[in-house]
């Protein structure tokens, strides 16, 4: 009986809400294509402004409809100012023999991101204050930035530094810092409602994979997935540089943010660690409850954290003047894995399988948000006779199966106040079974949305 009910519900093209039934088998290919996209983006030298950021947004725009916004340097955005645009062609340190001993072309992490131009000869002693290493991991190149202080520098492995003899070095950073624009991209997928789900991912890190090419690739894959399915909410995917990007977007869209019903910052989703969900500042928003429930139900071993004012762009969305219901989904968190902000956060740290699992987690979360609403029982005086609607087993005497049991729970609890997550938790039943029962009851005319 339950199988035929499910088939009846699936007459129309599968909606996003029905993606609750997606399994690892159906998301494997997405993990592989996300990994390939990351491999394509990995060599680009991104920053918070400039050609690398635009090239990345263009690559995303080849896969999903993406509207780019350019905001001029000098624009005031709350307490911040959009910085000068940074572009770089080359950077190196040459020894006395004219050999490049530190070479931006070998790895773009070698230059401190946002370095001002320099072209000089200097001794190793003069050069040293501009060199950054990671002594605890002597083979890794650290990732450093100088966004808001005009200076220059190089990053190299401790082993590389230790091998440099005294002598005269030629130091070149062929970059420009000049008035230009900060760029961000938005993909808006209108639903039947103008209430929005915001998905944010930062896209300003250069050759770093987990942080945050994984967020970029997964947000792109999610947008493709949702674009192909009917959905209730309007989905807004926002690809922007960390901190200054979300601040700039909020400053330019302040009057629109009331539409945001749920939001997620996606980042660091390809490493081997278990999932971490960081709650919104509100702490009890539906997105907080849904993420905790879905992750525990699907993956068991997960970390649920309360909000704290440090991390990624959830800090801006959850600043007290906005206090939006925006949480954050990662595997490892910023600063909590040894490869963080170094050359070891590379294509070997992440895997297609880990990306596929993160994709599955994300679509289950979004499908739950889509389907999770309160309903009103249209036949509330005594139980309706479910057999009449083809919803209940014809053979009496046996107990109800899971689906039938879910029908009874949904009918009993649908008083316009309890939503489907409330009901699943009260019934201690899988959310997908409760949602399938509600869909069948709505189709039979026994429920209507509250
Ligand atoms: Zn980072």
């Amino acid at each position: 009986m339950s199988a035929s009910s499910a088939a009846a519900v699936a007459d129309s093209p599968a909606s996003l809400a029905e993606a609750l039934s997606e399994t690892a088998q159906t998301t494997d290919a997405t993990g592989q294509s996300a990994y390939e996209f990351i491999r394509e983006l990995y060599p680009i030298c991104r920053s918070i402004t400039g050609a690398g950021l635009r090239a990345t947004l263009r690559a995303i725009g080849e896969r999903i409809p993406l509207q780019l916004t350019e905001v001029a340097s000098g624009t005031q955005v709350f307490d911040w100012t959009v910085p000068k645009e940074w572009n770089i062609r080359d950077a190196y340190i040459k020894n006395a023999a004219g050999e490049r001993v530190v070479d931006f072309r070998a790895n773009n992490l070698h230059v401190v991101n946002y370095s001002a131009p320099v072209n000089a000869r200097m001794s190793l002693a003069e050069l040293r204050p501009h060199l950054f290493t990671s002594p605890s991991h002597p083979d890794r190149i650290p990732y450093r930035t100088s966004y808001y202080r005009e200076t220059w520098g190089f990053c190299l492995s401790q082993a590389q530094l230790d091998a440099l003899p005294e002598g005269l070095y030629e130091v070149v950073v062929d970059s420009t810092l000049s008035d230009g624009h900060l760029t961000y991209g938005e993909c808006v997928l209108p639903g039947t409602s103008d209430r929005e789900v915001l998905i944010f991912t930062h896209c300003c890190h250069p050759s770093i994979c987990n942080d945050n090419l994984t967020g970029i690739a997964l947000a792109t894959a999610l947008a493709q997935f949702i674009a192909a399915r009917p959905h209730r909410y309007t989905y807004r995917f926002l690809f922007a540089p960390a901190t200054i990007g979300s601040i700039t977007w909020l400053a330019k869209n302040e009057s629109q943010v009331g539409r945001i019903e749920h939001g997620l910052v996606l980042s660091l989703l390809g490493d081997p660690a278990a999932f971490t969900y960081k709650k919104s500042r509100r702490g009890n928003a539906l997105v907080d409850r849904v993420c905790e429930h879905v992750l525990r139900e699907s993956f068991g071993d997960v970390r649920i954290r309360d909000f704290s004012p440090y991390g990624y762009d959830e800090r801006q969305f959850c600043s007290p003047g906005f206090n939006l219901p925006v949480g954050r989904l990662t595997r490892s968190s910023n600063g909590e894995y040894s490869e963080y902000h170094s050359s070891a956060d590379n294509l070997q740290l992440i895997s297609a399988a880990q990306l596929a699992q993160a994709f599955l987690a994300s679509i289950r979360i979004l499908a739950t948000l889509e389907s999770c609403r309160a309903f009103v029982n249209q036949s509330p005086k005594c139980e309706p006779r479910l057999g009449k609607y083809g919803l209940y087993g014809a053979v009496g005497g046996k107990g109800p199966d899971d689906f039938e049991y879910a029908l009874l729970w949904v009918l009993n609890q649908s008083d316009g106040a309890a939503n489907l997550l409330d009901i699943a938790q009260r019934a201690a039943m899988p959310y997908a079974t409760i949602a399938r029962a509600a869909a069948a009851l709505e189709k039979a005319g026994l429920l209507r949305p509250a």
Side-chain angles (χ1 to χ4, degrees):
M1 212 54 207
S2 57
S4 64
S5 305
V9 174
D11 284 342
S12 44
S15 66
L16 175 58
E18 289 167 281
L20 281 170
S21 58
E22 294 287 329
T23 64
Q25 283 74 37
T26 57
T27 55
D28 270 1
T30 307
Q32 194 56 49
S33 61
Y35 188 88
E36 291 307 319
F37 189 27
I38 290 168
R39 190 200 299 276
E40 176 188 330
L41 296 175
Y42 180 63
I44 299 174
C45 183
R46 276 163 293 274
S47 188
I48 55 174
T49 61
L53 175 60
R54 283 193 196 93
T56 301
L57 293 171
R58 269 201 305 276
I60 298 166
E62 286 168 12
R63 288 162 171 80
I64 55 174
L66 199 69
Q67 172 94 42
L68 299 194
T69 300
E70 300 274 358
V71 182
S73 304
T75 303
Q76 196 67 28
V77 286
F78 300 118
D79 202 34
W80 298 61
T81 306
V82 173
K84 288 179 178 172
E85 183 174 323
W86 184 67
N87 285 290
I88 183 161
R89 283 158 295 280
D90 197 6
Y92 55 83
I93 300 171
K94 277 184 183 173
N95 64 16
E99 298 158 339
R100 289 185 178 222
V101 291
V102 180
D103 187 359
F104 169 79
R105 289 176 180 168
N107 190 321
N108 59 41
L109 296 179
H110 275 312
V111 71
V112 171
N113 200 282
Y114 247 70
S115 277
V118 62
N119 187 341
R121 282 177 190 280
M122 61 187 75
S123 67
L124 185 58
E126 290 170 298
L127 184 51
R128 271 186 197 278
H130 294 277
L131 301 182
F132 301 91
T133 64
S134 176
S136 57
H137 293 97
D139 294 322
R140 296 178 184 173
I141 309 164
Y143 163 52
R144 293 279 186 279
T145 65
S146 64
Y147 299 144
Y148 302 104
R149 194 169 65 91
E150 205 165 306
T151 181
W152 59 269
F154 285 85
C155 299
L156 64 168
S157 71
Q158 184 66 43
Q160 247 178 319
L161 177 60
D162 293 344
L164 292 183
E166 295 300 329
L168 208 58
Y169 290 89
E170 182 188 349
V171 181
V172 170
V173 175
D174 181 11
S175 67
T176 50
L177 267 174
S178 50
D179 283 342
H181 295 84
L182 175 148
T183 319
Y184 60 76
E186 287 173 276
C187 168
V188 179
L189 303 172
T192 53
S193 162
D194 64 0
R195 305 298 296 166
E196 289 191 4
V197 176
L198 174 72
I199 307 290
F200 180 94
T201 197
H202 65 270
C203 49
C204 51
H205 290 36
S207 288
I208 303 264
C209 279
N210 197 38
D211 181 12
N212 188 34
L213 292 176
T214 60
I216 294 172
L218 283 172
T220 304
L222 284 171
Q224 289 174 317
F225 185 86
I226 293 169
R229 284 162 178 78
H231 48 275
R232 176 161 65 111
Y233 287 116
T234 291
Y235 286 81
R236 182 179 300 273
F237 289 83
L238 176 53
F239 300 83
T243 308
I244 189 67
S246 52
I247 291 171
T248 301
W249 185 85
L250 282 163
K252 291 186 68 71
N253 292 277
E254 192 172 355
S255 63
Q256 315 280 321
V257 299
R259 291 182 189 165
I260 298 172
E261 196 132 322
H262 316 291
L264 263 184
V265 171
L266 295 182
S267 58
L268 293 81
L269 285 161
D271 67 282
F275 291 112
T276 306
Y277 177 72
K278 175 180 169 182
K279 291 181 182 180
S280 72
R281 181 176 178 274
R282 297 185 189 184
N284 61 351
L286 187 60
V287 68
D288 299 325
R289 291 186 57 209
V290 162
C291 286
E292 178 166 4
H293 185 88
V294 169
L295 293 172
R296 287 201 196 287
E297 190 176 81
S298 297
F299 305 103
D301 174 28
V302 296
R303 298 169 288 190
I304 307 295
R305 301 227 171 119
D306 285 331
F307 179 78
S308 64
Y310 186 69
Y312 282 115
D313 295 86
E314 67 279 3
R315 285 151 39 211
Q316 315 311 332
F317 298 112
C318 295
S319 56
F322 287 107
N323 200 26
L324 294 171
V326 176
R328 188 189 74 184
L329 180 65
T330 64
R331 285 180 175 275
S332 289
S333 294
N334 46 297
E336 294 182 357
Y337 59 112
S338 94
E339 299 87 351
Y340 177 73
H341 280 191
S342 83
S343 55
D345 187 340
N346 57 26
L347 290 161
Q348 281 72 52
L349 176 68
I350 64 168
S351 77
Q354 283 142 207
L355 290 164
Q357 197 188 43
F359 181 71
L360 182 62
S362 304
I363 58 177
R364 283 193 181 154
I365 287 167
L366 296 180
T368 302
L369 287 169
E370 273 282 304
S371 57
C372 187
R373 58 202 305 181
F375 290 91
V376 179
N377 182 342
Q378 300 300 289
S379 180
K381 292 179 177 165
C382 301
E383 291 174 348
R385 193 158 65 81
L386 291 173
K388 216 167 75 180
Y389 304 88
L391 290 172
Y392 209 78
V395 182
K398 69 175 180 67
D401 67 20
D402 279 359
F403 180 71
E404 293 165 344
Y405 205 47
L407 293 170
L408 299 178
W409 268 112
V410 172
L411 282 169
N412 182 274
Q413 295 294 301
S414 289
D415 53 7
N419 65 36
L420 297 187
L421 181 61
D422 296 326
I423 298 172
Q425 291 183 336
R426 177 151 184 187
M429 293 192 70
Y431 179 84
T433 310
I434 293 291
R436 196 157 55 81
L441 290 165
E442 188 182 9
K443 196 175 164 77
L446 288 166
L447 287 184
R448 67 168 174 74

